[in-house]
Amino acid sequence: MNSRTTTTVVAFAHPFELAGCPGALPAGQYPVIAEDELIQSLSFEAYRRTATFLVKESPGLTKFFPIRQEDLDRALVEDRALSERIHDSVAALSPPEDEL
């Protein structure tokens, strides 16, 4: 069976939680490893996701947490939305430039 492994890096601006990971994880950059297998018997090349792992690295220790891609996508959207809400709140509190 043919398979492929891809690694990407995701960035969170705020602490976040993901099913499959213990508790809240701090903001930062995290490698994500995706494993896909080739679907046989098709007239074109196509792959099926078989596993996704979030990698948490700390000095002397690397942990791989099995996660669902859908959960990761949702957490990234929530992180971006939180950043936008915070930015909008700060902008609303800042005085206009002509009042400085």
Side-chain angles (χ1 to χ4, degrees):
M1 179 179 313
N2 294 339
S3 62
R4 67 180 181 190
T5 301
T6 55
T7 302
T8 57
V9 176
V10 295
F12 286 91
H14 309 282
F16 65 100
E17 292 187 13
L18 276 176
C21 298
L25 296 170
Q29 294 186 343
Y30 293 85
V32 175
I33 298 172
E35 296 180 359
D36 303 309
E37 68 181 7
L38 182 64
I39 300 172
Q40 304 292 326
S41 322
L42 295 177
S43 60
F44 56 92
E45 191 172 282
Y47 288 85
R48 172 181 334 149
R49 178 71 36 97
T50 57
T52 306
F53 299 94
L54 181 83
V55 182
K56 184 171 185 306
E57 299 170 325
S58 55
L61 184 63
T62 301
K63 293 183 178 181
F64 293 80
F65 297 106
I67 60 170
R68 291 179 350 131
Q69 184 67 46
E70 297 83 12
D71 294 338
L72 177 61
D73 294 341
R74 187 176 319 108
L76 289 166
V77 167
E78 291 171 2
D79 187 66
R80 273 186 242 121
L82 181 57
S83 290
E84 289 174 9
R85 282 195 304 271
I86 289 171
H87 177 71
D88 289 345
S89 296
V90 171
L93 295 175
S94 300
E97 287 185 22
D98 59 351
E99 292 181 16
L100 295 177

